[in-house]
Amino acid sequence: MIPLMKSAFLREEETKRALAEFIISAPRLSMDSKCREFEQEFAAFQGRKHAVLFNSGGSANLAMLQALKNLGRLKDGDPVGFSGLTWSTNTMPIIQLGMEPIAIDCDPETLNVMSHNFEERIREAGMKALFITNALGFTGTWTEYATSAPGDRSC
């Protein structure tokens, strides 16, 4: 059995009150100055000069792949892997931007891509980029790939 999360908020009551207060008192219901404030604080937290807030993960995925194309890191026809169990917002940007979507099998126990699935598929397809989706917040085991030295990897 897969346990589902009890609540979507951390400190739910406090979070709901703060959100309601913001909605009541905000001069406009858009990202506005709070967005810029968040971007600056998040960039500082990450030790970066800049950060960009998007309205959704799908928009962020599309912008990220477009940026990689603009930088010459990806090009039309490049194979881009994605978890076999994922959202359309992970696959559509690959298709929209003219790259080749490559599905990677998920393990039925974790519902996630595991390192052995990834290694096998990367050998076959030579992926240039990868979207990994951890279904329901669960993670798989990547130890055999993640802990090996780059020269030891067979893919």
Side-chain angles (χ1 to χ4, degrees), residues 14-35:
E14 179 184 333
T15 302
K16 285 180 178 179
R17 273 193 202 93
L19 181 57
E21 179 58 34
F22 174 79
I23 290 170
I24 291 167
S25 64
R28 41 157 88 155
L29 293 178
S30 69
M31 291 190 267
D32 198 37
S33 60
K34 285 292 183 186
C35 173

Side-chain angles (χ1 to χ4, degrees), residues 58-132:
S59 294
N61 291 343
L62 183 61
M64 178 182 59
L65 286 179
Q66 183 65 64
L68 289 170
K69 280 186 80 171
N70 292 351
L71 293 168
R73 305 276 308 267
L74 291 174
K75 60 185 183 312
D76 288 346
D78 276 350
V80 177
F82 65 93
S83 302
L85 176 60
T86 194
W87 293 271
S88 60
T89 54
N90 285 351
T91 56
M92 285 310 296
I94 299 168
I95 296 165
Q96 286 173 278
L97 295 174
M99 293 169 247
E100 180 186 359
I102 305 292
I104 304 169
D105 284 339
C106 293
D107 185 281
E109 301 251 341
T110 63
L111 304 177
N112 292 305
V113 170
M114 306 298 276
S115 56
H116 62 274
N117 302 103
F118 175 66
E119 287 178 315
E120 179 182 320
R121 200 70 172 113
I122 197 170
R123 267 190 242 107
E124 296 169 358
M127 290 173 277
K128 302 290 184 183
L130 174 67
F131 278 105
I132 288 289

Side-chain angles (χ1 to χ4, degrees), residues 34-53:
K34 285 292 183 186
C35 173
R36 185 70 189 131
E37 182 183 318
F38 175 83
E39 290 173 336
Q40 291 170 339
E41 288 181 22
F42 188 76
F45 178 78
Q46 294 293 323
R48 301 288 183 246
K49 290 181 186 177
H50 306 286
V52 178
L53 179 65

